[in-house]
Amino acid sequence: MKTLTIILCVLFSIHATSQEDYAILRKNMVEKQIQARGVTHLPTLTAMLNVPRHEFVPEAVKPYAYFDQPLPIGDGQTISQPYIVAFMTEALRLKKTDRVLEIGTGSGYQAAVLATIVDSVYTIEIVEKLALEAKQRLKTMKYNNILVRSGDGYHGWPEKAPFDAIMVTAGAETIPQALIDQLKIGGRLIIPVGPHNGVRQLVLATKKKNKITKKNLMSVRFVPFTRDE
Ligand code: SAH
């Protein structure tokens, strides 16, 4: 019975064409992949239910947009698995009034999820082509509270700092100090940290008055954080 359900779901995904079909796939994704694994933060679940993930992936992989996996978005980069997007979003304990920095715009999907929850999102992408595409896509989709910039996110975005929260969606070997500096007191940073191309730890760092506390949340694989020079 379970196998039959999976086969039917896959067939439905591959033949989905209307907005209603995609809405059904999103509801299924939220229930089976995200809530089932323990995400409960309502604004995160609502965002995952509303942001049309299929609009952020290349035409060729659209049928797989709501599958339980990361997908290629061109230039050797990937859009993260839906559960990881939701998990990282929930971990930041976001409030409506927050200003958030994302490093690694990619398709713009994670930025869109954040932007439906918070006041404003600033996002930096090192591959210029991806940055331009994401900027255009987010503009067309009317995500008016997202600012996209092309460049090396290692230095953060000092002109727009300080931030309530920062999310890095590429795997770094260490936490860039500039990102810590650009957090408000009480601010949260989530970043995959670990050896190049290996399994990394998703680290949640919180900036207190005189110290930084760090917590390892789970093991993850991410495309590497690259540098401009
Ligand atoms: N958040 C994206 C997926 C991120 S994939 C989405 O929702 O689609 C990681 C992205 O980080 C890639 O696009 C990669 O080019 C970018 N990246 C890697 N190193 C970077 C750096 N130093 N500064 C900014 N972006 C970087």
Side-chain angles (χ1 to χ4, degrees), residues 74-106:
D75 286 84
Q77 304 304 331
T78 57
I79 179 174
S80 303
Q81 180 189 3
Y83 168 61
I84 297 294
V85 172
F87 181 88
M88 290 177 76
T89 306
E90 177 177 66
L92 284 177
R93 303 190 300 273
L94 299 169
K95 292 190 300 293
K96 258 190 185 155
T97 49
D98 282 353
R99 297 171 67 255
V100 180
L101 173 67
E102 182 200 21
I103 310 295
T105 316

Side-chain angles (χ1 to χ4, degrees), residues 77-78 102 104-105 107 110 125-127 152-153 169 223 225-226:
Q77 304 304 331
T78 57
E102 182 200 21
T105 316
S107 67
Q110 174 74 74
E125 169 56 53
I126 202 165
V127 178
D152 183 352
T169 60
V223 293
F225 192 95
T226 51

Side-chain angles (χ1 to χ4, degrees), residues 9-74:
C9 281
V10 169
L11 284 175
F12 185 77
S13 306
I14 290 170
H15 294 288
T17 46
S18 69
Q19 291 309 320
E20 289 76 25
D21 289 349
Y22 286 121
I24 293 170
L25 291 172
R26 269 200 301 284
K27 189 161 176 283
N28 194 57
M29 169 189 88
V30 168
E31 286 169 6
K32 305 268 164 50
Q33 303 171 29
I34 298 172
Q35 286 183 293
R37 292 189 178 112
V39 174
T40 57
H41 183 240
L42 202 55
T44 299
L45 295 173
T46 308
M48 299 300 294
L49 208 51
N50 289 332
V51 179
R53 184 171 161 94
H54 63 280
E55 305 280 6
F56 291 83
V57 300
E59 204 57 39
V61 296
K62 238 179 201 176
Y64 317 110
Y66 297 100
F67 279 25
D68 193 12
Q69 61 181 69
L71 291 171
I73 53 169

Side-chain angles (χ1 to χ4, degrees), residues 38-220:
V39 174
T40 57
H41 183 240
L42 202 55
T44 299
L45 295 173
T46 308
M48 299 300 294
L49 208 51
N50 289 332
V51 179
R53 184 171 161 94
H54 63 280
E55 305 280 6
F56 291 83
V57 300
E59 204 57 39
V61 296
K62 238 179 201 176
Y64 317 110
Y66 297 100
F67 279 25
D68 193 12
Q69 61 181 69
L71 291 171
I73 53 169
D75 286 84
Q77 304 304 331
T78 57
I79 179 174
S80 303
Q81 180 189 3
Y83 168 61
I84 297 294
V85 172
F87 181 88
M88 290 177 76
T89 306
E90 177 177 66
L92 284 177
R93 303 190 300 273
L94 299 169
K95 292 190 300 293
K96 258 190 185 155
T97 49
D98 282 353
R99 297 171 67 255
V100 180
L101 173 67
E102 182 200 21
I103 310 295
T105 316
S107 67
Y109 175 68
Q110 174 74 74
V113 168
L114 292 168
T116 65
I117 302 174
V118 300
D119 175 74
S120 40
V121 176
Y122 300 86
T123 179
I124 309 177
E125 169 56 53
I126 202 165
V127 178
E128 194 176 13
K129 178 169 165 276
L130 289 177
L132 294 174
E133 283 171 7
K135 191 175 191 167
Q136 188 52 50
R137 177 177 297 124
L138 292 165
K139 190 175 165 209
T140 309
M141 296 174 81
K142 303 211 165 31
Y143 286 100
N144 298 325
N145 58 341
I146 304 177
L147 213 54
V148 183
R149 206 190 82 187
S150 144
D152 183 352
Y154 185 82
H155 307 288
W157 197 329
E159 301 81 3
K160 302 290 181 189
F163 300 98
D164 298 283
I166 300 179
M167 182 186 289
V168 181
T169 60
E173 285 174 45
T174 53
I175 303 181
Q177 184 57 39
L179 301 186
I180 299 277
D181 294 344
Q182 289 172 28
L183 270 184
K184 285 184 190 168
I185 303 293
R188 292 84 56 203
L189 162 70
I190 191 160
I191 178 169
V193 184
H196 188 73
N197 278 338
V199 176
R200 303 180 210 251
Q201 275 299 314
L202 205 47
V203 177
L204 180 70
T206 306
K207 187 167 174 175
K208 305 270 169 74
K209 215 165 180 182
N210 296 313
K211 62 172 183 179
I212 306 292
T213 58
K214 290 180 198 157
K215 200 169 152 193
N216 287 354
L217 301 182
M218 69 156 98
S219 302
V220 283

